[in-house]
Amino acid sequence: MSRFNFKTQPAYQEYSAWETRPDGLPVYELDEDGEPIVAPGELFCRARIEDGVICYNATKQYQPSNLRNHLKTTHGYTIAKLPPGPLNAVDHHKTNKFYTDLVARAAGNRHDDDDDEPDGEDITPLPNTPIKTSRRRTGSTPNPGSGSQSSPPKERHDAPRKKDGKPDGRTMRKMVGYTGRACDACVVLGRKASGMYSCSFSQLYTN
């Protein structure tokens, strides 16, 4: 039995067959730093230019890497490097749901345009945009209690703080080698890299 792959599913097949971006696609969901969250396999820019307006370049990029480069060079976004390795099974199913919702949103907006009294396009971001969470070069999704080589060190550190006394999450992550990526426990839960004590890496710090 072949493994589930979002690219072979009807939603992504329809999406990737478009030559130009249809009207009514939602804008990107943004992360905590205001950067767009780009789903695996995306080929069309959905960057917001101004209220109600998406990037004027509606051309298909053909390769996801081309889209990421477009977001960097045209819109000035900082796009994080993808972790190595293929998507895991959970990633594939989440990504398939994303494209199913994306195609349905586009179809719904086209239907509204055909109405005598259209309600206007809904381009609000789709929530819970999937990201690539495969972090290991070999093996399955890491178990936070497995003691694998990717687990953080056990020693505890004094938590660095900002001038206002709040924990400095960025420095905390840098000190233990988790800059820009989620810890193993967050990967299992499907969470993105967190900012402060919400991530399990915070157990490495004293209050």
Side-chain angles (χ1 to χ4, degrees):
M1 183 177 178
S2 60
R3 299 181 66 179
F4 184 88
N5 190 315
F6 78 88
K7 290 186 176 181
T8 64
Q9 302 306 304
Y12 190 77
Q13 291 286 304
E14 179 176 347
Y15 170 86
S16 60
W18 296 334
E19 289 299 323
T20 57
R21 184 189 65 220
D23 293 337
L25 287 191
V27 296
Y28 289 114
E29 181 182 15
L30 302 180
D31 65 15
E32 59 185 11
D33 296 319
E35 304 290 348
I37 304 174
V38 183
E42 285 206 63
L43 304 172
F44 298 95
C45 182
R46 300 186 289 119
R48 185 193 298 271
I49 302 299
E50 55 186 275
D51 287 345
V53 179
I54 296 181
C55 176
Y56 297 114
N57 185 351
T59 304
K60 184 179 184 178
Q61 297 292 329
Y62 288 97
Q63 293 293 333
S65 58
N66 294 349
L67 173 61
R68 297 170 70 85
N69 185 62
H70 165 80
L71 289 167
K72 292 177 184 178
T73 59
T74 301
H75 299 290
Y77 285 118
T78 301
I79 308 298
K81 291 183 178 180
L82 294 173
L87 297 179
N88 60 40
V90 174
D91 292 337
H92 275 288
H93 283 280
K94 287 182 177 180
T95 304
N96 180 56
K97 182 181 185 305
F98 169 80
Y99 283 106
T100 299
D101 294 343
L102 192 74
V103 169
R105 175 74 69 83
N109 282 328
R110 286 197 299 270
H111 177 73
D112 286 343
D113 289 342
D114 293 336
D115 291 343
D116 293 334
E117 296 182 1
D119 297 327
E121 294 179 349
D122 177 11
I123 63 170
T124 56
L126 291 174
N128 303 316
T129 304
I131 60 171
K132 185 178 181 182
T133 57
S134 300
R135 306 286 170 167
R136 305 176 74 189
R137 288 180 172 81
T138 59
S140 59
T141 304
N143 183 333
S146 64
S148 65
Q149 291 183 354
S150 59
S151 298
K154 300 300 182 183
E155 64 268 19
R156 295 172 66 87
H157 307 269
D158 291 332
R161 297 184 177 275
K162 301 177 182 179
K163 293 181 179 180
D164 59 5
K166 295 180 180 179
D168 187 342
R170 188 179 299 273
T171 301
M172 289 167 67
R173 301 188 70 83
K174 185 176 181 180
M175 287 175 62
V176 294
Y178 276 87
T179 303
R181 65 189 183 92
C183 70
D184 290 347
C186 283
V187 169
V188 173
L189 296 173
R191 299 191 307 208
K192 307 178 182 67
S194 302
M196 298 293 181
Y197 285 105
S198 57
C199 182
S200 63
F201 83 92
S202 64
Q203 65 186 324
L204 301 176
Y205 289 94
T206 61
N207 294 328

